[in-house]
Amino acid sequence: MDVRRIREDFPILRKGDIVYMDSACQSLKPDCVMAAMDLYHNEFPACGGRSVHRLANRVSIAVDEARERLASLIGAGSPENVIFTKNCTEALNTIANGLDLGEGDKVVTTDIEHNSNHVPWLRLKEKGVERGFAPTVDGILDLDAFQEMLDRSVKVVSMVHTSNVTGTTIPAKEVVRMAHDNGSLVVLDGAQHVGHTFTDVTDLDVDFYTVSVQKILGPTGVGLLYGKECLLKDLQPLSVGGGTVGLADYESVDLLPPPERFEAGLLNYSGIIGAGVAAEYLMEIGLDKVKDHETSLNRGLKKRLSSIPEIEILGPDDAGLRAGITSFNVKTMGSHDAAMILDDMAGVLVRSGMHCCHPWFQSRGIPGCVRASMHVYNDHEDISKLGDALDDMVSTFCR
Ligand SMILES: Cc1ncc(COP(=O)(O)O)c(C=O)c1O
């Protein structure tokens, strides 16, 4: 993988004054994504799926093409099984609210979910839906404990595929098999998985899968909801209206089949088109190469951080298990202070705080952490700069 060449595709990196290590929050976007979005605005800024004039037809074709590219990225058998949402959170809310769950049903998640895969299920408490939290140890899912939790009341297992805190990935195929043996549906939150490694929802046999496009080198304001065809047809849409209707009269409505049924109102066409181009860009690089690259960076970072005694890494010791994410704390310093100092002193941009995983941090009495997260454009020089900045920070403020 030619990282030097890849870096040239990202305008903000061409300026050369920052080290960007906050891709788990939001990735940078390459020129080709912006160019595709500009092309839409400049040449065919119309709506798709409604008008039949030449500009509208071009939009419809471009949206179809984006859907096909994104379906390929996640291994969805058919583009019709891929729905555009406004983000991963909306996709998860659609599933939680669209399944017919009620009194006595149970939803099992891990104990390290992002709020977007926690709060939508938590709200179903009002309908009598119970929760179970499968424990993780150092971010690794305890499969035996998970198995113990599976009984007939568990209608849904909804888990983070790769954690945004520890970077650990659950053994998804095994989880799906165990849940299906129990008769439970499986939802995977792929926000930190897709775009960093090869993903094949068909091979996983997962029932629903969600994606955050702004984290896969795509624009903000787009997410994906994948569902098996047989399940999407019974899932209730979160919102309905224009674009979702086959025919309506004053008393009743026939909704269109998926995906249109779930895509109410005019869509974020430029974002969707940019999303398709981002998917293509990543597939051209090769997702296996992206994974190896991030793992190599993370191993380098682990080695560098090991030389700084004030730093404590969260999650497993083996950097190979932490995807492109390293979360850590600096003894005697709050995570926000550390993040601000790293920016001020060295232009190294990381995320700090609880990373929207409040229950996990709260239950362990950890006030937050610093997270360095990587993507295709990071290199070993970035790792050195972060290491040097941490050395400087620690010797100035902590010794
Ligand atoms: C694991 C995980 N799930 C869900 C989300 C929410 O994604 P979005 O911002 O696209 O709704 C995030 C965002 O950081 C995440 O890291």
Side-chain angles (χ1 to χ4, degrees), residues 24-25 86-90 92 113-117 160-164 189-192 210-215 222-223 351 355-357 371:
C25 179
K86 84 168 186 250
N87 46 37
C88 182
T89 304
E90 189 178 67
L92 288 161
E113 296 301 327
H114 188 280
N115 285 334
S116 295
N117 191 36
V160 66
H161 196 172
T162 295
S163 164
N164 62 317
D189 167 2
Q192 301 293 346
T210 62
V211 179
S212 175
V213 162
Q214 91 234 9
K215 302 185 203 306
V222 186
R351 169 99 182 253
H355 312 280
C356 297
C357 274
R371 179 183 69 191

Side-chain angles (χ1 to χ4, degrees), residues 10-151:
F10 292 82
I12 202 153
L13 297 180
R14 290 200 291 270
K15 287 191 192 159
D17 56 348
I18 57 160
V19 172
Y20 191 76
M21 289 197 166
D22 194 16
S23 298
C25 179
Q26 170 147 212
S27 64
L28 304 177
K29 294 100 185 51
D31 290 319
C32 57
V33 168
M34 268 86 77
M37 294 170 76
D38 280 353
L39 192 74
Y40 163 78
H41 287 299
N42 289 325
E43 293 196 6
F44 52 109
C47 83
R50 291 159 175 80
S51 309
V52 293
H53 55 75
R54 66 183 83 173
L55 299 191
N57 287 343
R58 229 176 128 184
V59 180
S60 300
I61 290 167
V63 168
D64 287 349
E65 195 179 26
R67 206 186 294 278
E68 276 164 26
R69 286 169 158 175
L70 289 152
S72 292
L73 181 72
I74 60 168
S78 156
E80 267 70 58
N81 298 354
V82 176
I83 291 152
F84 291 116
T85 59
K86 84 168 186 250
N87 46 37
C88 182
T89 304
E90 189 178 67
L92 288 161
N93 272 278
T94 304
I95 304 164
N97 291 286
L99 292 169
D100 189 20
L101 296 175
E103 192 68 41
D105 292 339
K106 194 167 183 178
V107 176
V108 171
T109 65
T110 70
D111 62 5
I112 191 165
E113 296 301 327
H114 188 280
N115 285 334
S116 295
N117 191 36
H118 167 53
V119 182
W121 303 111
L122 189 67
R123 284 184 93 186
L124 298 183
K125 226 177 177 178
E126 290 157 22
K127 289 177 156 187
V129 176
E130 291 169 29
R131 280 288 294 283
F133 300 94
T136 54
V137 180
D138 268 345
I140 312 273
L141 179 64
D142 181 341
L143 275 183
D144 291 333
F146 170 55
Q147 180 70 66
E148 294 264 300
M149 297 172 81
L150 291 173
D151 61 35

Side-chain angles (χ1 to χ4, degrees), residues 187-207:
V187 181
L188 291 180
D189 167 2
Q192 301 293 346
H193 193 80
V194 173
H196 295 278
T197 185
F198 179 73
T199 308
D200 187 334
V201 293
T202 308
D203 181 57
L204 287 175
D205 195 25
V206 64
D207 299 299

Side-chain angles (χ1 to χ4, degrees), residues 298-312:
N298 230 354
R299 289 197 200 282
L301 183 54
K302 156 88 192 303
K303 206 164 154 204
R304 186 70 178 80
L305 295 189
S306 312
S307 65
I308 310 175
E310 287 82 359
I311 289 192
E312 250 172 20

Side-chain angles (χ1 to χ4, degrees), residues 90-339:
E90 189 178 67
L92 288 161
N93 272 278
T94 304
I95 304 164
N97 291 286
L99 292 169
D100 189 20
L101 296 175
E103 192 68 41
D105 292 339
K106 194 167 183 178
V107 176
V108 171
T109 65
T110 70
D111 62 5
I112 191 165
E113 296 301 327
H114 188 280
N115 285 334
S116 295
N117 191 36
H118 167 53
V119 182
W121 303 111
L122 189 67
R123 284 184 93 186
L124 298 183
K125 226 177 177 178
E126 290 157 22
K127 289 177 156 187
V129 176
E130 291 169 29
R131 280 288 294 283
F133 300 94
T136 54
V137 180
D138 268 345
I140 312 273
L141 179 64
D142 181 341
L143 275 183
D144 291 333
F146 170 55
Q147 180 70 66
E148 294 264 300
M149 297 172 81
L150 291 173
D151 61 35
R152 291 174 66 110
S153 68
V154 179
K155 295 292 186 290
V156 179
V157 170
S158 186
M159 292 189 172
V160 66
H161 196 172
T162 295
S163 164
N164 62 317
V165 177
T166 56
T168 47
T169 296
I170 61 163
K173 233 175 157 169
E174 187 73 353
V175 165
V176 172
R177 190 192 55 71
M178 289 161 75
H180 282 174
D181 283 351
N182 187 58
S184 319
L185 291 174
V186 184
V187 181
L188 291 180
D189 167 2
Q192 301 293 346
H193 193 80
V194 173
H196 295 278
T197 185
F198 179 73
T199 308
D200 187 334
V201 293
T202 308
D203 181 57
L204 287 175
D205 195 25
V206 64
D207 299 299
F208 295 103
Y209 199 90
T210 62
V211 179
S212 175
V213 162
Q214 91 234 9
K215 302 185 203 306
I216 63 163
L217 316 185
T220 52
V222 186
L224 304 180
L225 162 55
Y226 159 85
K228 284 182 180 166
E229 192 181 339
C230 57
L231 296 169
L232 284 180
K233 77 178 171 38
D234 292 328
L235 189 73
Q236 290 305 308
L238 201 58
S239 57
V240 285
T244 66
V245 173
L247 204 60
D249 59 26
Y250 287 115
E251 301 298 334
S252 63
V253 57
D254 278 334
L255 292 178
L256 287 166
E260 286 87 356
R261 167 180 305 190
F262 295 94
E263 296 175 348
L266 290 195
L267 304 182
N268 177 0
Y269 299 113
S270 65
I272 288 169
I273 291 165
V277 172
E280 194 63 28
Y281 181 87
L282 281 166
M283 288 187 288
E284 267 170 25
I285 293 174
L287 273 306
D288 287 338
K289 287 189 189 145
V290 176
K291 182 183 179 196
D292 289 348
H293 173 63
E294 290 183 11
T295 304
S296 149
L297 291 177
N298 230 354
R299 289 197 200 282
L301 183 54
K302 156 88 192 303
K303 206 164 154 204
R304 186 70 178 80
L305 295 189
S306 312
S307 65
I308 310 175
E310 287 82 359
I311 289 192
E312 250 172 20
I313 293 178
L314 273 72
D317 192 47
D318 181 357
L321 299 176
R322 289 192 264 104
I325 290 177
T326 292
S327 290
F328 58 92
N329 268 311
V330 185
K331 279 181 202 158
T332 74
M333 188 180 277
S335 65
H336 293 309
D337 288 342

